[in-house]
Amino acid sequence: CGFIIGWLHFPMVTAACLAPAVLYAIDLLAEQRTRGRFLFAALLWTQLLFAGHPETAAHLFWLGAVYVLWLVLGEKKPWRLILTLGGALAVSALLAAPYLGPLLETMPKSKRVAELKNAPTSAEDLPYQDRNCAIVMFQPHFFGQVPWEKAWGPADTEPLGGFAGMFGWVAWIAVALQVILRRQWRSREMFFAVLTLFVLGVIYSWPVIGESFHLMMPIAANARARLLFTLLCAIQTAAAIDFARRTPMLLSALAAAVMLVLLLRIPMASAYRFDTAVLGMLPGIAVLIAVSFVALTRHKAAVLALLVVVIADLFLIGRDRSMPLPDRMLYPTTPMIAKLQELAAKTPPNRPFRF
């Protein structure tokens, strides 16, 4: 997804890559409680805390909590599941105490907390909520392909992190239509489809939704809730291929195609911008054609072709975002870095805590 690809060189990825495992650990304990599954959940959350990005860990904790509530209230799983997961979290907190202790001590002294005290913000004040950022989530190269072109719209990693691939958007619409047409109001597909809409409301601060989420996590940069959006769309791609019938798939592909046409109706100052937008849409158009073949034929070869096209759609975004850098573009050696390197060289390799 765009989030993993875009932030590949940053610490949030070491936590974000564990997102599917969070839901998997919950499913395992919901199916059967064993010592091995309890230990897996506890060690997973320990690793998530040690991953080095508390903000992403907080977003995944929220997702896991909502999912557990659905399992208990919607699918009638036993209430003991909450106690079991609470015990696993308690164990993980104890294991991660060497990290959590300094974090909780220094967080009130951080720059972000100081800025929020001086100038409190609301959900509407958060960045990356305009129309152009929404377009980048749908078509990342609409405004130009950085670094090969000079973009005439947003092209930084924050909005691009919400790109789930064209098939991600199509799958979400298809699953929602499947739920409505078959009236599967208590299905897990219905839960994921509604939760995806809620997360989109968080990202763009829709009334009530955005402010309620911001109150829960006032310190977090909730623009990065795009991780949750891409994860949910990725889950629904599998559901769309496995369960969605011909009509929902074709209608969702048609809806995405209409969106592409509407984007081209946006006033553009020059022919260059129009041509750039059309070229940026070509991978998405290829995905829509492959989706239509899957919906019409339901053949394994068509599904395989769709997989290849989806990989290419995501690869074209990641190729330009995680490029290898030469040494001359890395950070220069500062006195602090030099001192840390000196201390690391002097520290015995067998010490439990070393630089």
Side-chain angles (χ1 to χ4, degrees):
C1 67
F3 192 92
I4 299 292
I5 294 171
W7 293 110
L8 191 59
H9 292 164
F10 294 84
M12 58 277 286
V13 171
T14 56
C17 65
L18 299 174
V22 171
L23 299 180
Y24 180 59
I26 294 173
D27 280 337
L28 287 178
L29 287 174
E31 181 185 52
Q32 184 180 4
R33 291 179 301 158
T34 64
R35 293 179 181 177
R37 296 181 178 189
F38 180 90
L39 182 62
F40 170 67
L43 293 179
L44 171 65
W45 277 100
T46 303
Q47 175 60 34
L48 192 60
L49 293 172
F50 272 116
H53 204 255
E55 180 181 79
T56 302
H59 285 153
L60 294 179
F61 175 81
W62 177 86
L63 175 64
V66 173
Y67 185 49
V68 170
L69 287 178
W70 168 261
L71 292 177
V72 172
L73 300 177
E75 299 187 12
K76 304 302 181 183
K77 299 292 183 181
W79 283 89
R80 289 174 297 179
L81 175 63
I82 297 177
L83 298 178
T84 304
L85 287 168
L89 287 174
V91 172
S92 66
L94 291 175
L95 293 174
Y99 169 77
L100 290 177
L103 173 67
L104 296 176
E105 181 182 1
T106 57
M107 186 180 295
K109 307 172 187 177
S110 66
K111 179 183 177 182
R112 183 176 293 183
V113 171
E115 290 174 346
L116 290 175
K117 286 182 178 179
N118 294 330
T121 60
S122 63
E124 289 77 11
D125 299 325
L126 298 176
Y128 305 108
Q129 297 182 1
D130 58 1
R131 182 193 67 178
N132 288 346
C133 289
I135 293 175
V136 170
M137 284 182 62
F138 188 66
Q139 285 294 289
H141 288 161
F142 184 85
F143 299 106
Q145 187 173 356
V146 176
W148 316 113
E149 299 169 320
K150 185 177 181 180
W152 54 280
D156 44 341
T157 309
E158 289 285 5
L160 183 138
F163 179 62
M166 176 60 76
F167 187 48
W169 287 89
V170 170
W172 174 32
I173 299 172
V175 169
L177 290 174
Q178 178 81 359
V179 169
I180 294 172
L181 293 175
R182 304 191 69 178
R183 299 185 179 183
Q184 298 171 330
W185 310 122
R186 298 179 67 88
S187 65
R188 197 167 297 186
E189 289 77 20
M190 183 265 187
F191 166 75
F192 284 124
V194 173
L195 189 60
T196 306
L197 184 65
F198 181 89
V199 171
L200 201 62
V202 170
I203 295 171
Y204 292 101
S205 295
W206 292 351
V208 181
I209 295 177
E211 198 60 43
S212 61
F213 194 87
H214 182 67
L215 289 174
M216 286 188 288
M217 302 182 191
I219 301 178
N222 291 324
R224 292 175 190 158
R226 285 170 168 82
L227 165 65
L228 305 180
F229 179 80
T230 56
L231 173 64
L232 293 170
C233 286
I235 292 172
Q236 290 169 99
T237 57
I241 292 175
D242 288 343
F243 303 119
R245 297 180 181 273
R246 179 178 300 174
T247 299
M249 288 282 279
L250 290 176
L251 287 177
S252 59
L254 178 62
V258 171
M259 281 297 301
L260 293 178
V261 173
L262 292 177
L263 288 181
L264 292 178
R265 304 285 294 178
I266 296 175
M268 302 182 194
S270 64
Y272 163 75
R273 293 185 175 183
F274 181 84
D275 294 343
T276 299
V278 172
L279 290 174
M281 289 179 177
L282 292 180
I285 294 173
V287 171
L288 295 182
I289 294 173
V291 169
S292 300
F293 275 109
V294 171
L296 292 172
T297 64
R298 309 297 292 183
H299 196 274
K300 291 182 179 179
V303 177
L304 182 61
L306 174 61
L307 175 62
V308 173
V309 175
V310 168
I311 292 174
D313 187 26
L314 294 171
F315 171 78
L316 291 175
I317 307 303
R319 179 192 61 181
D320 306 327
R321 288 287 163 175
S322 302
M323 302 172 67
L325 298 176
D327 292 343
R328 60 182 175 82
M329 297 185 66
L330 299 178
Y331 287 112
T333 301
T334 63
M336 179 178 290
I337 293 176
K339 185 63 177 178
L340 289 173
Q341 289 175 340
E342 178 185 348
L343 292 173
K346 292 180 180 180
T347 306
N350 58 349
R351 284 190 58 180
F353 299 100
R354 61 190 302 268
F355 288 98

